[in-house]
């Protein structure tokens, strides 16, 4: 391992995997007497062995004698790679004498008649950093700028660029490099790659010359190739960052480049335009480019990147983006579900009163299209897409209730959709519209009763029954609702009691028919567990009415809801003055008969399992309520239930309104801030974009976007996150600031020499634990007494898991060759990866049932109030509480709540908190964490265990 580390510490420009053994004797024979093919194979083995830490000093002379004179192109290319990786200096840093032979060979190659050998040698010199080797070759390198072949000229420019900018003493070796390159550009160079490399060299080494060349050739920029135009855009960004006052003239260049046909240039133009200008015209032009790219590009990755850009753009330029909603919505034509989901999320955030009609019309067309598309493999994708569209229409109708009437009846056609999730979204939408839009209740109820027979999903059927029982109020509605339910349930009893002779045979046959239900626990909205029955109705006759088929399959939760609906209808029937006593008694008896029939079915032998206690208790309450109704019971069934639902819906709408206000909230500004008046500005020589940009800048200053206080607050928060790595008495004091940005962790370390002597080869050595990977090893530095250096290390993250970074600082002093200062460990917190997010109750329950990793943490805290404990857990875990505040009110000593967060990697974190207060005023219970991956469940559990005890008093 020591040899490998030494190779790595020298710096490495290539990596070669080699796990085979090779004899140095065989290699030497192949190099001396072999053919060109054998020599090439032997050179490959030599390079691989050297890259894996082997020492082959005896091979060098053999290569010089037998390989150097070869005219084979492949052998010459491998020879250059060999020269790239061998050690060229001794222990004191002086050039080895035998390198003179290499230098002479490189000079010969630079003057070789074959352009491939010249170009390959020039490419090799780009990776060479030894000034003693390079300096004799400079005249030959410069001479190659005039070669007839563009491949040679292109690589000659890059060699000059690397020597001038990166090689020690490079600026002395080629003092007039920028001038030489400028002359090459002005001489009418025809090769695009050569011009691009030359302009890039000026951009990095002499920015003023690059700007002068750009301005001198302004008229022809639109005709330059794409690779050169992208460098021009980089130059514009750099210049405007340094001098913002010059933005005006450069924006004209960007707008000119927007007219090109190259998609990469258009994308970079849009990015540059957004970075430089806040003018509405510029933002609209950039957004138009993004929308064109979404439609024209076939690569889904490109579409997702552009959609991310649009999502960032809408945060600060919502008004401009709202006018482009329909252009963005065209992206749903892509078959990718991820692209469709991201597009709909962006569109739903931009809808307003001006574009809502167009958006809803487009969504309706997409819903119909998804129903008609029956291509290969389309059913599953269309079902998921249709569910997203229904949810989007639901969100539109909640924000703008006026559009509900145009979509609700069309959506009701999907109540019998084979995809239960899509049908469930539809029925939830209908339930909310029925509550919030009283004018549509009658038409919704009529359409629901007409299509009730087509519903085959238990969950959809349960919600439909609740709507029917809650909003059937008039005489005609109650009569039609009861008739529909009786028709769906069929005749009573639900089974015929078998005779003694038939009992054994029929029981076995019926058990085979109905023993297809499966039972599993689910989490309810309040965090408690219940039993869910998954029913297979394949064996039930298709002629059996839908409700009857579901009840015979053992769905007793639906039976309880059906009993409650019939009880509400019966009570409303009996309360009405428009019915005779005979009709009331008959209806009362029929409702009681159906309730008893369902209770008997639950105790019979024809179902796979007996009716659960909760359903039995609920049906018994229904029977008692309809048997002897009084005013208090009637009020509880017919009024209190709707009041509770109305309160829940109103609270949801209020929370949504607060969320929207919070998003649209603008920063405050001081009354005495400077404001420039638009009409008093001089317009002489200014284009419309320049004028709008100046006004937009003033508005941002006036509204607080450029507030220096916010910048100082950001600096303060940054200082609060500085971590001390060493002690003040250590020879090298170090502290770091960790920045986590999605998949990247940037570690900025400040190292200060606390001694009175020069420290050489100061090196930051880091290692990681967990799913962290160090990208590259930081370079060595020399620190004078009291001098500080900023060292940056990049670390890649692959999953949401708590990781540890540890290491030390190594340096050489006058007295000792190697000194080590051990650093404090840095723990990468999971809180840097996750952020609070919203999630529908149904989606939460589905994920809870699907996710396989669960971490159960026992409650162990000093808190004595359940609500305070929940608030502390929410704050400590950086999650959002999905349980509404109204459900957490009261002093019952028990609390159950659901928390949700999403990581930057798209992972979902689900938490269920169930806690109660015992007789000793201590809190007990459990916190359950579920996720799709093990890392986030374990890391979040460790975080909760660490933080849940609360502050010490």
């Amino acid at each position: 391992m020591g040899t490998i580390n030494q190779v790595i510490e020298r710096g490495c420009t290539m990596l070669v995997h080699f796990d085979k053994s090779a004899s140095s004797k065989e290699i030497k024979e192949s190099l001396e007497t072999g053919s060109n093919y054998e020599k090439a194979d032997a050179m490959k083995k030599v390079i691989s062995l050297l890259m894996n830490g082997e020492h082959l000093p005896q091979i060098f002379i053999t290569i010089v004698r037998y390989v150097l004179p070869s005219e084979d192109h492949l052998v010459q290319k491998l020879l250059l790679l060999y020269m790239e990786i061998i050690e060229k200096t001794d222990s004191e840093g002086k050039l080895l004498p035998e390198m003179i032979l290499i230098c002479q060979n490189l000079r010969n190659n630079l003057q070789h008649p074959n352009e491939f050998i010249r170009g390959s040698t020039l490419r090799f010199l780009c990776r060479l950093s030894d000034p003693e080797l390079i300096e004799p070759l400079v005249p030959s390198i410069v001479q190659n700028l005039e070669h007839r072949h563009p491949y040679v000229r292109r690589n000659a420019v890059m060699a000059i660029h690397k020597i001038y900018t990166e090689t020690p003493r490079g600026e002395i070796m080629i003092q007039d490099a920028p001038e030489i390159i400028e002359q090459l550009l002005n001489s009418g160079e025809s090769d695009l790659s050569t011009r691009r490399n030359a302009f890039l060299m000026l951009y990095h080494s002499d920015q003023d010359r690059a700007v002068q060349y750009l301005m001198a050739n302004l008229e022809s920029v639109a005709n330059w190739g794409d690779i050169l135009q992208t460098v021009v855009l980089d130059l514009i960004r750099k210049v405007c960052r340094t001098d913002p006052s010059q933005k005006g003239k450069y924006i004209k260049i960007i707008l000119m480049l927007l007219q090109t046909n190259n998609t990469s240039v258009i994308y970079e133009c849009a990015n540059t335009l957004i970075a430089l200008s806040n003018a509405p015209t510029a933002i609209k032009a950039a957004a138009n480019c993004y929308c064109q790219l979404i439609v024209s590009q076939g690569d889904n990755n490109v579409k997702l990147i552009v959609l991310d850009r649009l999502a960032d753009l809408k945060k600060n330029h919502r008004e401009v983006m709202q006018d482009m909603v329909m252009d963005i919505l065209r992206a749903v034509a892509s078959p990718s579900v991820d692209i469709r989901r991201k597009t709909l999320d962006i569109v739903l955030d931009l809808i307003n009163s001006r574009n809502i009609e167009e958006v809803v019309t487009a969504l309706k067309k997409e819903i119909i299209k998804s129903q008609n598309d029956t291509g290969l493999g389309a059913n599953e994708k269309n079902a998921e897409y249709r569910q997203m569209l229904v949810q989007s229409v639901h969100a539109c109708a909640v924000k703008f209730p006026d559009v509900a009437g145009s979509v609700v009846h069309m959506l009701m056609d999907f109540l019998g959709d084979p995809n239960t999730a899509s049908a469930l979204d539809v029925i939830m939408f209908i339930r909310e519209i029925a509550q919030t839009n009283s004018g549509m209740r009658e038409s919704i109820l009529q359409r629901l009763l007409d299509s009730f027979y087509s519903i085959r999903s238990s969950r959809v059927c349960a919600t439909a029954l609740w709507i029917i029982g809650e909003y059937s109020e008039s005489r005609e509605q109650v009569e039609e609702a009861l008739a529909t339910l009786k028709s769906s349930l069929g005749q009573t009893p639900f089974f015929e009691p078998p005779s003694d002779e038939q009992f054994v045979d029929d029981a076995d046959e019926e058990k085979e028919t109905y023993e297809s239900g499966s039972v599993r626990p689910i989490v309810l909205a309040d965090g408690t567990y219940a039993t869910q029955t998954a029913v297979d109705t394949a064996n039930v006759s298709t002629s059996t009415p839908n409700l009857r088929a579901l009840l015979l399959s053992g769905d007793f939760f639906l039976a309880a809801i059906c009993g409650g609906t019939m009880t509400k209808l019966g009570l409303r029937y009996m309360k009405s003055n428009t019915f005779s006593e005979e009709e009331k008694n008959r209806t009362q008896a029929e409702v009681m008969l159906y309730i008893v029939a369902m209770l008997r079915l639950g105790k019979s032998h024809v179902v796979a399992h007996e009716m659960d206690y909760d359903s039995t208790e609920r049906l018994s309450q229904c029977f008692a309520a309809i048997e002897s109704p009084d005013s208090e019971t009637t009020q509880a069934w017919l009024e209190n239930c709707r009041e509770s639902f109305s309160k829940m819906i109103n609270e949801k709408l209020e929370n949504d309104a607060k969320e929207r206000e919070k998003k649209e909230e603008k920063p405050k500004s001081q009354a005495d801030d400077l404001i420039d008046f638009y009409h008093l500005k001089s317009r002489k020589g200014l284009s419309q974009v320049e004028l709008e940009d100046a006004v937009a800048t003033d508005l941002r200053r006036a509204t607080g976007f450029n507030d220096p206080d916010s910048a100082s607050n950001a600096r303060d928060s940054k200082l609060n996150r500085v971590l001390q790595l060493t002690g003040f008495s250590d020879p090298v004091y170090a502290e770091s600031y960790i920045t986590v940005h999605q998949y990247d962790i940037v570690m900025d370390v400040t190292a200060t020499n606390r001694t009175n002597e020069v420290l050489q080869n100061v090196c930051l050595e880091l290692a990681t634990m967990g799913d962290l990977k160090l990208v590259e090893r930081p370079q060595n530095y020399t620190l004078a007494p009291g001098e500080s250096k900023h060292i940056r290390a990049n670390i890649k993250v692959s999953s949401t898991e708590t990781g540890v970074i540890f290491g030390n600082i190594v340096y050489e002093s006058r007295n000792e060759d190697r000194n080590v200062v051990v650093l404090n460990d840095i723990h990468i917190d999971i809180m840097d990866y996750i952020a609070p997010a919203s999630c529908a109750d149904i989606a939460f329950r589905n994920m809870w049932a699907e996710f396989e990793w669960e971490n159960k943490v026992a409650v162990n805290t000093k808190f004595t109030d359940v609500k305070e404990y929940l608030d502390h857990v929410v704050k400590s875990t950086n999650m959002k509480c999905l349980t509404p505040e109204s459900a957490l009110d009261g002093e019952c000593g028990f609390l159950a709540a659901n928390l949700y967060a999403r990581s930057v990697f798209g992972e979902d974190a689900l938490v269920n908190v169930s806690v109660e207060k015992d007789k000793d005023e201590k809190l007990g219970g459990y916190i359950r964490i579920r996720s799709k991956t093990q890392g986030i469940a374990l890391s979040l559990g460790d975080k909760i265990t660490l933080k849940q005890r609360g502050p010490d008093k």
Side-chain angles (χ1 to χ4, degrees):
M1 286 298 293
T3 55
I4 296 176
N5 290 334
Q6 289 170 10
V7 172
I8 295 174
E9 287 176 5
R10 282 203 313 267
C12 179
T13 55
M14 63 177 175
L15 293 173
V16 179
H17 175 68
F18 186 73
D19 55 1
K20 300 177 182 178
S21 60
S23 169
S24 59
K25 185 178 180 181
E26 294 176 0
I27 293 174
K28 193 172 181 180
E29 289 178 359
S30 299
L31 292 175
E32 290 176 353
T33 60
S35 62
N36 286 332
Y37 177 80
E38 290 172 340
K39 286 182 179 180
D41 187 60
M43 287 296 296
K44 290 179 182 178
K45 291 179 180 178
V46 170
I47 293 170
S48 300
L49 290 171
L50 289 173
M51 288 300 299
N52 283 272
E54 297 290 336
H55 287 283
L56 302 171
Q58 70 279 7
I59 295 292
F60 179 79
I61 298 299
T62 305
I63 291 175
V64 170
R65 290 182 60 189
Y66 298 101
V67 179
L68 216 59
S70 175
E71 293 293 330
D72 185 76
H73 291 179
L74 178 58
V75 174
Q76 285 295 322
K77 180 68 176 177
L78 292 169
L79 178 63
L80 292 174
L81 294 177
Y82 168 75
M83 290 189 287
E84 182 181 333
I85 63 173
I86 61 173
E87 187 65 50
K88 304 174 186 65
T89 57
D90 56 18
S91 59
E92 296 180 359
K94 294 181 180 180
L95 192 68
L96 294 171
E98 54 266 30
M99 290 299 112
I100 298 174
L101 299 173
I102 291 181
C103 187
Q104 182 60 41
N105 178 70
L106 293 175
R107 184 185 288 108
N108 295 336
N109 283 352
L110 291 174
Q111 298 171 356
H112 199 280
N114 184 274
E115 61 271 7
F116 175 77
I117 292 179
R118 283 200 186 201
S120 299
T121 306
L122 288 166
R123 286 177 68 89
F124 160 71
L125 292 175
C126 293
R127 298 187 291 272
L128 206 61
S129 59
D130 300 285
E132 292 84 357
L133 275 176
I134 293 175
E135 191 168 7
L137 305 175
V138 168
S140 300
I141 295 171
V142 175
Q143 189 179 359
N144 277 293
L145 291 173
E146 300 175 0
H147 195 272
R148 60 179 177 79
H149 202 283
Y151 177 70
V152 178
R153 298 197 302 273
R154 183 189 317 155
N155 287 295
V157 172
M158 288 307 298
I160 293 174
H161 178 197
K162 294 296 181 182
I163 293 170
Y164 187 78
T165 57
E166 297 182 11
T167 304
R169 305 201 312 269
E171 295 183 2
I172 300 174
M173 286 188 280
I174 318 179
Q175 293 182 2
D176 56 347
E179 185 179 348
I180 295 172
I181 298 300
E182 186 181 18
Q183 290 174 0
L184 175 69
L185 284 171
N186 291 326
S187 65
E189 172 61 49
S190 59
D191 181 60
L192 179 61
S193 296
T194 305
R195 291 166 60 199
R196 180 257 181 193
N197 292 351
F199 191 78
L200 188 66
M201 191 268 177
L202 290 181
Y203 163 57
H204 286 292
S205 58
D206 195 337
Q207 186 174 303
D208 293 337
R209 287 182 187 272
V211 172
Q212 289 173 10
Y213 177 76
L214 176 62
M215 291 304 169
N217 298 272
L218 204 56
E219 299 299 327
S220 60
V221 171
N223 299 323
W224 291 357
D226 56 339
I227 57 176
L228 183 53
Q229 288 172 341
T230 52
V231 179
V232 169
L233 292 171
D234 287 341
L235 175 66
I236 291 173
R237 280 196 291 265
K238 185 177 180 181
V239 171
C240 292
R241 218 177 286 127
T242 308
D243 187 5
S245 62
Q246 299 189 39
K247 284 194 296 184
K249 60 181 180 181
Y250 290 112
I251 286 178
K252 295 176 183 176
I253 301 175
I254 299 170
L255 294 175
M256 179 172 59
L257 291 177
L258 277 175
Q259 308 306 317
T260 60
N261 296 324
N262 188 275
T263 53
S264 62
V265 175
I266 293 174
Y267 177 74
E268 288 299 328
C269 281
N271 293 345
T272 307
L273 205 55
I274 293 168
L276 298 186
S277 176
N278 297 312
T281 303
I283 299 301
K284 191 169 184 178
N288 270 323
C289 292
Y290 288 145
C291 293
Q292 292 172 12
L293 290 173
I294 291 175
V295 176
S296 62
Q297 294 301 301
D299 191 340
N300 288 343
N301 293 319
V302 174
K303 291 177 183 286
L304 289 170
I305 291 171
V306 174
L307 285 172
D308 285 336
R309 287 286 184 178
L310 287 170
D312 292 336
L313 202 57
K314 74 177 174 62
K315 294 177 183 177
N316 297 326
H317 306 282
R318 180 178 294 273
E319 292 79 9
V320 177
M321 297 296 294
Q322 284 175 340
D323 297 332
M324 308 194 64
V325 164
M326 296 308 296
D327 294 324
I328 300 172
L329 197 56
R330 292 164 65 190
V332 298
S334 170
S336 170
V337 175
D338 293 329
I339 292 173
R340 286 170 165 175
R341 181 181 291 108
K342 188 166 287 191
T343 302
L344 291 174
D345 289 341
I346 294 172
V347 168
L348 290 179
D349 206 23
L350 293 174
I351 56 174
N352 58 14
S353 56
R354 297 194 308 274
N355 57 34
I356 183 64
E357 293 289 345
E358 290 180 300
V359 171
V360 170
T361 302
L363 293 177
K364 286 165 61 177
K365 290 180 180 177
E366 288 296 319
I367 292 174
I368 296 171
K369 190 189 298 183
S370 70
Q371 188 180 21
N372 298 332
D373 188 4
T374 57
L376 182 63
N379 289 336
E380 186 176 348
K381 286 186 177 179
N382 284 341
E384 186 177 358
Y385 179 42
R386 190 158 57 247
Q387 182 183 357
M388 287 191 292
L389 291 171
V390 170
Q391 292 171 348
S392 301
V393 171
H394 186 178
C396 291
V398 170
K399 288 184 180 179
F400 300 94
D402 295 339
V403 304
S406 63
V407 295
V408 66
H409 295 299
M410 182 202 71
L411 291 179
M412 292 182 76
D413 293 334
F414 297 97
L415 288 176
D417 197 322
N419 181 28
T420 303
S422 178
L424 190 59
D425 285 328
V426 171
I427 197 66
M428 290 297 181
F429 169 60
I430 293 170
R431 186 183 69 169
E432 189 167 338
I433 294 301
Q435 173 60 34
T436 56
N437 197 331
S438 58
M440 296 186 63
R441 286 177 188 168
E442 185 175 352
S443 60
I444 288 174
L445 193 62
Q446 184 61 47
R447 187 68 181 274
L448 184 60
L449 290 173
D450 291 341
S451 58
F452 185 79
Y453 304 102
S454 65
I455 302 175
R456 292 285 171 177
S457 168
S458 172
R459 298 173 69 184
V460 178
C461 202
T463 308
L465 286 170
W466 186 91
I467 296 172
I468 292 170
E470 199 62 47
Y471 299 109
S472 298
E473 296 177 337
S474 65
R475 170 175 178 159
E476 294 77 10
Q477 289 173 344
V478 172
E479 285 182 329
E480 189 174 357
L482 283 170
T484 301
L485 290 186
K486 286 189 285 186
S487 176
S488 297
L489 287 170
Q491 296 294 324
T492 56
F494 292 115
F495 67 98
E496 289 292 337
S499 62
D500 293 339
E501 294 82 5
Q502 298 174 332
F503 183 80
V504 177
D505 295 336
D506 289 352
D508 292 340
E509 182 180 346
E510 286 165 350
K511 274 205 168 187
E512 287 180 6
T513 302
Y514 299 113
E515 243 179 11
S516 54
S518 62
V519 181
R520 64 175 180 177
I522 61 167
V523 64
L524 299 179
D526 61 352
T528 58
Y529 283 90
T531 300
Q532 175 178 339
T533 307
V535 179
D536 182 7
T537 58
N539 295 322
V540 179
S541 173
T542 55
S543 61
T544 307
N546 57 341
L547 264 183
R548 189 183 188 93
L550 291 169
L551 295 184
L552 290 175
S553 300
D555 193 345
F556 297 121
F557 178 70
L558 181 63
I561 294 175
C562 186
T565 300
M566 297 194 77
T567 301
K568 288 181 184 179
L569 294 173
L571 290 173
R572 200 167 278 126
Y573 197 100
M574 296 168 65
K575 185 181 177 182
S576 175
N577 297 324
T578 58
F579 298 106
S580 65
E581 288 298 322
E582 183 181 351
E583 291 173 324
K584 292 180 180 180
N585 291 337
R586 185 174 64 250
T587 300
Q588 182 184 22
E590 287 177 347
V591 171
M592 293 169 64
L593 178 61
Y594 274 105
I595 293 173
V596 171
M598 285 185 277
L599 284 169
R600 290 187 62 196
L601 176 65
K603 304 296 182 183
S604 69
H605 61 278
V606 299
V607 289
H609 52 85
E610 282 194 11
M611 182 181 291
D612 57 283
Y613 175 79
D614 291 339
S615 300
T616 305
E617 186 70 17
R618 178 67 171 172
L619 287 172
S620 301
Q621 290 175 355
C622 294
F623 186 88
I626 196 68
E627 180 191 19
S628 54
D630 53 33
S631 59
E632 187 176 346
T633 302
T634 304
Q635 182 181 1
W637 281 89
L638 302 182
E639 297 179 15
N640 295 352
C641 181
R642 189 183 301 185
E643 288 175 1
S644 299
F645 181 65
S646 176
K647 184 179 178 182
M648 186 189 79
I649 293 296
N650 292 334
E651 185 174 358
K652 178 186 174 186
L653 295 176
E654 288 175 4
N655 291 336
D656 291 343
K658 288 179 182 178
E659 289 285 340
R660 287 197 298 271
E661 290 176 4
K662 190 175 180 181
K663 285 183 180 178
E664 297 172 0
E665 183 180 0
K666 295 182 178 179
K668 298 177 181 178
S669 60
Q670 298 299 322
D672 57 349
D673 283 352
L674 179 65
I675 301 177
D676 289 339
F677 290 93
Y678 175 77
H679 294 288
L680 300 181
K681 279 187 174 294
S682 172
R683 302 190 179 197
K684 187 176 180 181
L686 292 178
S687 65
Q688 180 65 23
V689 176
E690 291 177 87
L691 191 62
E692 287 183 6
D693 184 61
V695 173
T697 303
D698 295 337
L699 287 173
R700 286 173 67 86
R701 188 189 308 130
T703 54
F705 279 98
N706 292 337
D707 189 3
D709 290 339
S710 60
S712 63
N713 291 337
R715 286 193 297 271
D716 291 342
S717 64
K718 187 172 181 178
L719 289 174
N720 290 334
R721 301 186 63 185
V722 172
L723 302 174
Q724 184 177 340
L725 300 180
T726 63
F728 292 109
S729 60
D730 288 320
V732 178
Y733 172 74
E735 60 185 20
S736 71
Y737 175 75
I738 304 294
T739 304
V740 178
H741 181 69
Q742 294 193 353
Y743 299 94
D744 300 311
I745 296 177
V746 180
M747 183 176 174
D748 289 307
V749 179
T750 302
T752 305
N753 182 2
R754 305 274 293 179
T755 66
N756 295 324
E757 58 180 288
V758 177
L759 304 181
Q760 295 181 339
N761 293 327
V762 179
C763 176
L764 177 66
E765 295 183 347
L766 296 175
T768 59
M769 186 173 67
D771 287 337
L772 306 176
K773 183 180 180 182
L774 190 64
V775 176
E776 58 184 351
R777 183 177 180 274
Q779 68 182 75
N780 296 0
Y781 294 94
T782 299
L783 294 181
E787 185 183 3
S788 296
K789 282 286 184 182
H790 293 282
I791 306 172
R792 174 169 290 188
N794 294 312
I795 298 167
K796 284 286 182 183
V797 188
S798 58
S799 70
T800 310
E801 184 177 348
T802 301
V804 181
I805 304 173
F806 54 93
N808 48 54
I809 290 180
V810 181
Y811 64 91
E812 296 176 2
S813 61
R814 185 170 52 190
N815 300 326
E816 297 182 34
D817 290 339
R818 181 181 174 87
N819 299 273
V820 178
V821 179
V822 180
L823 305 179
N824 292 331
D825 294 347
I826 300 173
H827 294 265
I828 303 300
D829 197 350
I830 188 177
M831 296 301 105
D832 293 322
Y833 303 135
I834 67 173
S838 297
C839 173
D841 287 341
I842 296 173
F844 184 93
R845 295 178 206 175
N846 289 338
M847 286 189 289
W848 188 273
E850 293 171 5
F851 290 172
E852 56 184 6
W853 290 104
E854 177 173 306
N855 189 6
K856 187 175 179 182
V857 179
V859 173
N860 181 16
T861 181
K862 296 179 179 179
F863 286 99
T864 57
D865 183 79
V866 291
K867 186 66 170 63
E868 289 181 4
Y869 176 70
L870 175 65
D871 293 338
H872 177 70
V873 171
V874 170
K875 184 179 179 181
S876 302
T877 56
N878 196 27
M879 304 186 79
K880 181 176 181 179
C881 182
L882 300 181
T883 307
E885 285 291 327
S886 59
L888 302 174
D889 291 340
E891 297 292 337
C892 64
F894 172 80
L895 182 144
N898 296 329
L899 313 182
Y900 179 70
R902 183 174 293 153
S903 74
V904 295
F905 308 102
E907 300 169 321
D908 300 292
L910 313 179
V911 173
N912 173 248
V913 180
S914 298
V915 58
E916 64 178 344
K917 186 186 295 187
D918 58 18
K919 297 178 181 179
D920 300 329
E921 296 294 317
K922 291 183 179 180
L923 299 186
Y926 292 96
I927 299 176
R928 290 178 175 85
I929 307 155
R930 285 198 183 182
S931 66
K932 189 174 288 186
T933 57
Q934 182 184 21
I936 193 170
L938 295 178
S939 299
L940 201 53
D942 294 340
K943 185 72 176 179
I944 292 174
T945 303
L946 183 66
K947 295 283 188 178
Q948 69 166 325
R949 287 189 62 81
D952 295 327
K953 297 183 179 179

